[in-house]
Amino acid sequence: MSRTVNVAAAQMGPIQRSDSRADAVERLLVLLREAHGRGAELVVFPELALTTFFPRYASTDQAEVDTWFETEMPSAVTRPLFDEAARLGVGFCLGYGELTPDGHHYNTQLMVERDGSFVGRYRKVHLPGHAQVEGYRAFQHLEKYYFEVGPQGFQTWRAFGGVVGMLICNDRRWPESYRVLGLKGAELITIGYNTPIHNPPAPEHDRFGDFHNQLVMSAGAYQNGTWVVGVAKAGEEEGVPMIGGSCIIHPSGMVVAQCAGVGDEVVVAACDLDECTSYKRSVFNFALHRRTEHYGLIASQTEAIPPA
């Protein structure tokens, strides 16, 4: 029985601060329908797909902060997306700010199956940026202020005929993110991101942004024998240019589909989950080749090297 899933990377252009959630949902619906028309069974949307990237703003007014977060999902404004996806028989991943009933704030991504059933919810672990305003910056990156670290860590679920996991933005830069999902059998990892071109603490990295974006996702795919789908909110948002590069990556690490611009765009690829098997059973057969008993030795040797 075939385990091929047609997956769409549904990149979004910028969402300005003046744009409403209803405006964003209408754009998501257009992307969803286009993806369905091209045969997609799973549509992956970006991180924080309902709002502008609000951690670039500083606010000490908790009531104002809370307006950026969703208190229920689906909500009245997002219900049309859920209903249309179920009608079309298309699953999706959606990134958003989550405010839980007990008052916790997370950067969250959820996954819904083709029949409209809820698969799972992932809350971002690796929060970049800073927790206090840094005046030298042209824009802030206050994820450590707005969000709490996801308490459930990295998880996988049975869905779309295989084993799927989710990551969000900065998670994609850390090999441990993929490795935990790989150890849990992931055959498909979906990632939404909002990444500015300019990195104020290290502007010398700016010219490598697109390269680093693809590098980390391709490495994560290959080293764990899994498909990876990375999807951006891109373009100039509130005066801050963000990278695009949304793509679908084969377990070999090769990019098989990629968005060309920085606006709303859909690319689709047939992802055969069985193509993960040869990597998981040969080069990256963890049980056969992975030597965890030496990891402590490696750590101690590293600690013996004084910092530069």
Side-chain angles (χ1 to χ4, degrees):
M1 181 177 178
S2 173
R3 293 202 305 140
T4 297
V5 185
N6 292 327
V7 182
Q11 178 175 284
M12 297 181 75
I15 298 178
Q16 308 303 343
R17 194 169 185 174
S18 60
D19 295 337
S20 69
R21 283 172 170 77
D23 293 333
V25 170
E26 185 56 40
R27 288 168 60 186
L28 294 172
L29 285 166
V30 170
L31 292 167
L32 181 80
R33 291 170 184 141
E34 179 181 348
H36 171 258
R38 295 169 61 180
E41 301 167 80
L42 169 61
V43 182
V44 183
F45 296 116
E47 174 190 31
L48 298 178
L50 300 174
T51 65
T52 197
F53 185 76
F54 56 85
R56 69 170 62 96
Y57 305 113
S59 175
T60 57
D61 181 345
Q62 191 60 49
E64 179 185 24
V65 168
D66 288 350
T67 63
W68 295 111
F69 290 80
E70 312 305 315
T71 57
E72 58 180 343
M73 190 61 71
S75 61
V77 73
T78 57
R79 171 58 71 182
L81 177 65
F82 285 74
D83 289 347
E84 182 69 352
R87 185 186 73 82
L88 296 173
V90 179
F92 66 91
C93 290
L94 178 69
Y96 62 99
E98 178 194 9
L99 174 55
T100 67
D102 55 351
H104 293 285
H105 297 76
Y106 299 114
N107 189 337
T108 297
Q109 180 174 292
L110 61 74
M111 181 177 288
V112 175
E113 252 285 10
R114 292 160 286 195
D115 61 0
S117 61
F118 177 75
V119 174
R121 178 183 289 108
Y122 168 69
R123 291 157 173 158
K124 187 174 181 178
V125 169
H126 293 104
L127 300 177
H130 45 107
Q132 297 177 335
V133 172
E134 296 181 350
Y136 78 93
R137 293 173 177 261
F139 58 91
Q140 301 299 303
H141 199 134
L142 289 161
E143 288 201 53
K144 286 182 170 65
Y145 172 75
Y146 277 100
F147 304 120
E148 301 166 60
V149 173
Q152 292 88 9
F154 303 111
Q155 303 167 273
T156 57
W157 295 267
R158 291 272 175 187
F160 297 94
V163 182
V164 299
M166 293 183 274
L167 300 174
I168 300 174
C169 199
N170 191 44
D171 289 321
R172 76 193 191 282
R173 301 193 186 278
W174 301 91
E176 298 88 349
S177 308
Y178 303 95
R179 180 47 42 91
V180 174
L181 294 179
L183 288 167
K184 294 184 175 183
E187 298 169 305
L188 174 66
I189 298 173
T190 64
I191 307 171
Y193 58 93
N194 287 201
T195 300
I197 291 173
H198 178 50
N199 179 17
E204 63 273 19
H205 298 177
D206 292 357
R207 65 193 178 101
F208 302 115
D210 291 319
F211 168 68
H212 288 157
N213 177 55
Q214 183 177 315
L215 172 68
V216 293
M217 293 193 293
S218 288
Y222 173 58
Q223 292 175 344
N224 295 279
T226 182
W227 290 88
V228 169
V229 184
V231 185
K233 175 143 62 66
E236 187 165 317
E237 186 176 273
E238 295 294 310
V240 179
M242 299 190 297
I243 67 169
S246 301
C247 60
I248 301 173
I249 302 171
H250 185 270
S252 64
M254 180 178 293
V255 174
V256 297
Q258 186 166 23
C259 290
V262 291
D264 290 14
E265 185 178 350
V266 173
V267 294
V268 180
C271 300
D272 184 350
L273 302 183
D274 285 330
E275 292 184 8
C276 301
T277 304
S278 64
Y279 295 92
K280 293 181 183 296
R281 290 182 178 174
S282 60
V283 178
F284 295 108
N285 183 326
F286 296 154
L288 184 63
H289 303 308
R290 192 165 171 260
R291 295 274 64 89
T292 57
E293 68 271 20
H294 291 289
Y295 289 2
L297 176 61
I298 293 169
S300 66
Q301 290 171 337
T302 302
E303 290 164 1
I305 301 172

